[in-house]
Amino acid sequence: MFIHKSIHKSIKTGFLFFILIAVPSCKGETAVFDVNNLIGKENLVDVLICGSGPAGLNAAIHGARSGLKTVVLEGAEPGGQLTKSSGVENYPGFSKIPGMELIDTVRKQTEDFGAEFLSDAIVGVDFSSWPYKVTTEGGLTIHAMTLIVATGSSPKMLGVPGEELYYGRGVGHCAICDGPFYKGQQVVVIGGGDSAVEEAVQLINFGVGKVIVLVRADRMRAIKSGQDRLKKEDRVQIKHNTGVIEILGDGNGVVGVKVFDKETGEYIIEAKAVFEAIGSTPNTGFLQGKAQMDERGYLKMKDRSQETTIKGVYAAGDVESNRPKQAIIASGMGCQAGIEAVKFLTEELGLDRKFMSKLKYYKGKATGQESDKDSHVVQAKEITSGEQFKKEVLDKNSGLVLVDFYTESCVICKKVSKDLEGLETDFAGKLKLFKIDAMGKDVIAVAQQYSVTQVPRLLLFKNGNILKDYSGQVPTIVDLTDLLNKNI
Ligand code: NDP
């Protein structure tokens, strides 16, 4: 509830009427919205958006279009879950468009309006005073006048034996990233929703031999047209009433799944890979105890707005429950969140350009802008042959070498590769960084030698021996830096 103290101040610099509002937050802390708090604060941002999927991008369009300082923290997966979609068919203006292309198109529009992107992610927030203090993985502290949470969701795990052990070695969540590894092979998809259909279709498109879709219920919940599409594919088999008990492997990778159905009992299905598509959980952990959410972590909104239970903090996309998860709906929510944030600043608080021109805004480097330091950043070299790999990586005098395996279709690989570039500069003369296309004709044998069946996959070598294998996980730059420092 608002407590309007009704203190309308005019300040010397203009005809502004500033409103001082005190609002209790979830924990009973009270933030006071006094625009004088902004004076002297460093790293201010008018509209800070966390997440760069359709919700975040559309929110950014509206912040930037209004001429407000709008910064997007891209998050660990720029573009979000939509980048994994092979084709979106219900986004107005496009009869069918790959998810990544849609994201690129909207992002370009967002940048044209002046929104800035940072390759960083939110890790903490302090709502006890305003402007809100936001800390990021990259170590930044930003003072945000409004915050839009569009952090999306992460895929759920099954929780059966073998899953963790073989994660990254056959078990995964991203057919568009890892599908190319399984040409001609039999693979399994678990789940009966639209994501399961997407995964199965992509796997077929990548040329897998057979996809067996395991649905625990007696029917799929995916849209009918999707189910019909699967039924038409002779390389797809759907097994209903089938639960997965265990993921089986041979020590190196997945070899099958142990399943159960009421009629047959337990049996084994051979498979080289298991793609899980069993729903997702919202990425709202950093707001636990700070903003109201339901028991599953979905944020609560005020009435029909996109405002959370914290004044000036909005949410859009997969972090809000009870809305169909569609790109167009997330975009609409983002649009509304952006508009509400702009209104809050310009109408409720009455901020205007003259006052804002005196503030100390965040002036860091946005993604894509080159600073002097970055112009010296060395791009990772590509290894294109087994011979080159032996010479550059396996030589006993090669020192520390970080090898980054990727595939062309893997979107997150592009972000990881970009994040790594700075390391070679930071450890100049002490670290070599190489990229390898895990499906590259002349280096596929190298990828196979290290059982690379999921990307991104990082391997750190010292003098030709593996020092660390980041199978199934992508370390943070902070973790990698620590490890490198210890091994120089
Ligand atoms: P859903 O929640 O829609 O479906 C999850 C599926 O996984 C269900 O079939 C569920 O079974 C099954 N499942 C859940 N837990 C387990 C488990 N432990 N073991 C086995 N099976 C399990 O998730 P999706 O990711 O498919 O979709 C999420 C949302 O995103 C939906 O709203 C969907 O419409 C949307 N979406 C839309 C797309 C599009 O329009 N192109 C593409 C992808 C997603 P049960 O039914 O028995 O609960």
Side-chain angles (χ1 to χ4, degrees):
M1 193 180 71
F2 285 108
I3 306 166
H4 282 263
K5 288 194 179 166
S6 300
I7 302 174
H8 296 246
K9 300 180 184 177
S10 58
I11 60 167
K12 284 185 205 155
T13 50
F15 301 104
L16 285 180
F17 290 104
F18 287 150
I19 302 170
L20 191 73
I21 306 168
V23 182
S25 73
C26 193
K27 276 171 132 181
E29 296 157 342
T30 303
V32 176
F33 294 85
D34 181 349
V35 295
N36 292 308
N37 291 349
L38 302 172
I39 297 165
K41 281 266 174 346
E42 303 278 344
N43 279 351
L44 276 168
V45 168
D46 294 324
V47 182
L48 180 66
I49 297 160
C50 305
S52 53
L57 292 178
N58 276 278
I61 286 179
H62 291 84
R65 188 165 166 252
S66 305
L68 296 177
K69 173 87 174 176
T70 301
V71 174
V72 182
L73 300 176
E74 290 177 332
E77 285 189 53
Q81 299 286 310
L82 191 63
T83 59
K84 295 179 185 168
S85 170
S86 55
V88 181
E89 293 175 339
N90 62 347
Y91 203 93
F94 303 96
S95 53
K96 181 167 179 177
I97 181 167
M100 191 63 227
E101 206 175 310
L102 180 56
I103 286 290
D104 282 346
T105 308
V106 184
R107 178 163 169 155
K108 164 90 177 52
Q109 187 181 6
T110 312
E111 283 171 331
D112 288 348
F113 277 120
E116 296 163 44
F117 286 77
L118 288 179
S119 179
D120 207 340
I122 190 165
V123 288
V125 277
D126 179 355
F127 295 139
S128 60
S129 61
W130 183 86
Y132 298 132
K133 214 191 271 180
V134 172
T135 45
T136 73
E137 206 173 80
L140 266 177
T141 299
I142 293 175
H143 288 105
M145 295 187 217
T146 60
L147 176 67
I148 297 177
V149 180
T151 41
S153 57
S154 295
K156 276 188 192 159
M157 300 282 287
L158 208 51
V160 297
E163 181 188 42
E164 220 173 292
L165 183 62
Y166 290 106
Y167 200 84
R169 294 190 290 160
V171 179
H173 285 96
C174 182
I176 208 164
C177 312
D178 308 329
F181 294 118
Y182 300 103
K183 273 200 180 80
Q185 314 269 20
Q186 175 158 300
V187 299
V188 155
V189 169
I190 304 171
D194 290 321
S195 300
V197 171
E198 275 270 347
E199 297 285 278
V201 168
Q202 280 166 9
L203 290 163
I204 289 295
N205 290 342
F206 280 124
V208 299
K210 184 171 181 182
V211 182
I212 302 177
V213 181
L214 302 178
V215 182
R216 70 175 175 185
D218 58 0
R219 61 189 170 83
M220 295 183 81
R221 50 162 107 167
I223 190 168
K224 186 174 175 306
S225 60
Q227 295 189 40
D228 291 345
R229 195 157 157 193
L230 289 193
K231 283 177 197 152
K232 274 191 225 142
E233 289 284 354
D234 53 9
R235 280 182 290 150
V236 173
Q237 182 184 6
I238 302 169
K239 284 179 178 279
H240 293 101
N241 297 310
T242 306
V244 175
I245 302 168
E246 186 177 352
I247 292 172
L248 307 169
D250 61 4
N252 286 320
V254 167
V255 295
V257 284
K258 190 189 278 181
V259 297
F260 174 85
D261 83 43
K262 275 186 230 149
E263 281 171 23
T264 326
E266 276 183 28
Y267 65 103
I268 288 170
I269 298 174
E270 283 181 16
K272 285 283 181 201
V274 175
F275 291 89
E276 297 180 356
I278 58 168
S280 55
T281 43
N283 297 322
T284 53
F286 68 97
L287 289 174
Q288 276 289 346
K290 299 190 176 198
Q292 281 180 26
M293 53 182 79
D294 69 14
E295 67 291 346
R296 294 166 304 162
Y298 289 103
L299 291 166
K300 291 198 173 155
M301 303 292 135
K302 279 184 198 155
D303 307 320
R304 282 181 59 80
S305 78
Q306 291 304 134
E307 194 173 36
T308 67
T309 48
I310 307 287
K311 185 80 193 148
V313 179
Y314 308 84
D318 285 6
V319 290
E320 186 189 341
S321 68
N322 301 326
R323 305 281 285 269
K325 289 194 171 59
Q326 297 290 324
I328 182 62
I329 291 175
S331 302
M333 287 194 259
C335 164
Q336 187 174 338
I339 289 171
E340 287 175 19
V342 171
K343 275 191 158 188
F344 171 64
L345 294 177
T346 57
E347 294 179 17
E348 265 187 69
L349 296 184
L351 289 171
D352 81 352
R353 308 251 168 261
K354 203 164 181 183
F355 178 75
M356 290 160 117
S357 68
K358 297 182 179 3
L359 300 176
K360 294 183 181 171
Y361 278 103
Y362 173 69
K363 283 207 185 93
K365 181 188 74 69
T367 311
Q369 291 176 346
E370 292 216 335
S371 68
D372 282 353
K373 181 175 177 251
D374 282 347
S375 59
H376 301 299
V377 166
V378 188
Q379 297 225 329
K381 278 192 236 96
E382 182 93 31
I383 287 189
T384 52
S385 71
E387 271 312 301
Q388 189 192 355
F389 182 78
K390 269 192 206 146
K391 195 168 143 226
E392 303 273 19
V393 184
L394 298 184
D395 188 275
K396 63 179 180 4
N397 298 315
S398 54
L400 280 173
V401 184
L402 186 59
V403 181
D404 167 21
F405 289 93
Y406 71 96
T407 59
E408 281 298 335
S409 55
C410 168
V411 176
I412 188 172
C413 295
K414 294 189 174 71
K415 171 171 165 49
V416 169
S417 301
K418 198 157 172 292
D419 288 350
L420 294 176
E421 280 172 3
L423 275 181
E424 202 177 23
T425 315
D426 294 345
F427 289 90
K430 295 172 188 152
L431 172 74
K432 283 188 276 175
L433 179 62
F434 291 103
K435 278 162 63 169
I436 299 185
D437 176 353
M439 294 306 294
K441 192 162 60 65
D442 299 320
V443 275
I444 197 162
V446 175
Q448 283 167 351
Q449 183 184 343
Y450 294 98
S451 305
V452 178
T453 51
Q454 188 186 53
V455 285
R457 165 95 171 266
L458 300 182
L459 282 173
L460 181 64
F461 290 82
K462 187 171 185 178
N463 294 329
N465 299 313
I466 293 180
L467 192 63
K468 178 81 185 169
D469 178 353
Y470 287 102
S471 171
Q473 60 167 137
V474 180
T476 63
I477 294 297
V478 176
D479 289 346
L480 261 171
T481 305
D482 275 357
L483 184 66
L484 290 170
N485 276 326
K486 281 182 197 142
N487 284 283
I488 279 168

